Amino acid sequence: MPVECTMPKFGLTMHEGTVQRFFKTIGSPVRAGEPLYEVETEKVLYEVEAPASGILAVTLFEEGATVECGVAVAIIAEEGENLDDIRARYPQAAAASNGSAPPAATAEIEPSRSAPKGGERRAVSPIARKLAAELGVNLDNVSGTGPGGRITREDVERAAKEPAKPAAVLRAPALKAAGPRQTIPFRGMRKTIAERMHQSLRDSAQLTITHEADVTAAVEVRERLKSEFDFTYTDLLIQAVARAIRK
């Protein structure tokens, strides 16, 4: 009997999630417990594990689609089941099934991000993927040192310190001087941050409270000890607040 893989609910405030990518292609074997697809929520990137073993019969949404919690995202068929019969039960998945390849914009910038040989994608931890995006590190050029060659945060940090390879620069298309090339809507964590900031601006009184303090002694302490101890003015402020609380 086919098994539906639904969008999980990771918290009480979560109502939907964005399918970032699928780790398996349609028709590939799936084992229970291994990552099936990646979801972006308001707070984190999360790898959703397959609930059962079998064959990935159909994906019901394209990568990048936003799906409500509890809605089926993919269907896993048992060994020997007719995949065509299962796909016929989900006509709304035709577009997703036919468009299982990465979007054109992604293929233009990073052509090797489509599935490697054998239909499998490289294993990357969510925090490593997020850090790579922030630092501009191409994961295709990173060697994973985690279990099974999984790329970890340390691998990305190490790659960020290495000189950039010319080949990676040539892959990016030249940007036109006039105007942006495309508009990308807010989603996930950044969408939530924007909504909360706008809500605060709308609902709260806008005022700034300032206070002057003589921090000459703090500057002298830091200058005298910074060669021996690596600390900042924030550390000194935390110590002062902690001592004040104890008193």
Side-chain angles (χ1 to χ4, degrees):
M1 178 180 294
V3 177
E4 292 187 350
C5 307
T6 60
M7 174 63 67
K9 187 178 181 68
F10 300 122
L12 294 176
T13 60
M14 179 180 172
H15 302 290
E16 60 185 18
T18 301
V19 180
Q20 285 290 76
R21 62 177 185 141
F22 287 95
F23 296 106
K24 298 287 185 176
T25 57
I26 295 176
S28 299
V30 178
R31 290 182 298 176
E34 68 177 351
L36 181 60
Y37 59 93
E38 187 177 59
V39 171
E40 180 183 22
T41 69
E42 295 180 350
K43 299 179 180 179
V44 296
L45 284 172
Y46 193 88
E47 293 180 356
V48 180
E49 298 178 351
S53 299
I55 304 296
L56 181 59
V58 65
T59 55
L60 304 179
F61 294 91
E62 295 182 358
E63 294 179 348
T66 300
V67 184
E68 294 184 1
C69 295
V71 175
V73 175
I75 307 298
I76 297 177
E78 294 182 351
E79 293 285 349
E81 284 190 294
N82 191 316
L83 300 185
D84 292 333
D85 291 343
I86 296 176
R87 292 164 186 163
R89 305 176 194 174
Y90 301 90
Q92 73 276 22
S97 300
N98 295 332
S100 56
T106 304
E108 178 185 6
I109 299 175
E110 296 181 340
S112 61
R113 283 290 301 276
S114 56
K117 295 180 179 180
E120 299 290 340
R121 296 177 184 268
R122 300 186 65 188
V124 186
S125 68
I127 191 171
R129 184 174 303 283
K130 180 179 179 182
L131 182 62
E134 294 175 353
L135 300 179
V137 175
N138 188 349
L139 293 176
D140 292 336
N141 300 328
V142 179
S143 299
T145 59
R150 183 183 180 92
I151 297 177
T152 64
R153 176 174 183 169
E154 291 74 16
D155 298 328
V156 175
E157 292 175 343
R158 182 168 52 254
K161 297 178 182 179
E162 298 177 353
K165 298 182 180 180
V169 177
L170 295 176
R171 294 165 115 187
L175 298 177
K176 296 181 179 179
R181 289 182 57 123
Q182 67 179 122
T183 300
I184 302 176
F186 277 130
R187 69 184 187 189
M189 180 174 62
R190 297 192 182 279
K191 177 182 177 182
T192 303
I193 292 174
E195 291 176 348
R196 297 293 187 271
M197 292 181 66
H198 183 266
Q199 180 183 7
S200 174
L201 181 65
R202 184 188 66 236
D203 300 341
S204 304
Q206 303 301 310
L207 70 154
T208 302
I209 300 176
T210 61
H211 181 76
E212 293 185 0
D214 184 0
V215 294
T216 303
V219 174
E220 292 176 350
V221 170
R222 184 172 185 271
E223 290 298 323
R224 186 172 68 253
L225 301 178
K226 69 178 183 180
S227 59
E228 184 177 357
F229 302 101
D230 183 17
F231 63 90
T232 65
Y233 292 116
T234 301
D235 300 322
L236 292 175
L237 180 61
I238 292 174
Q239 183 194 37
V241 172
R243 294 175 64 181
I245 291 175
R246 292 184 62 183
K247 292 182 179 180

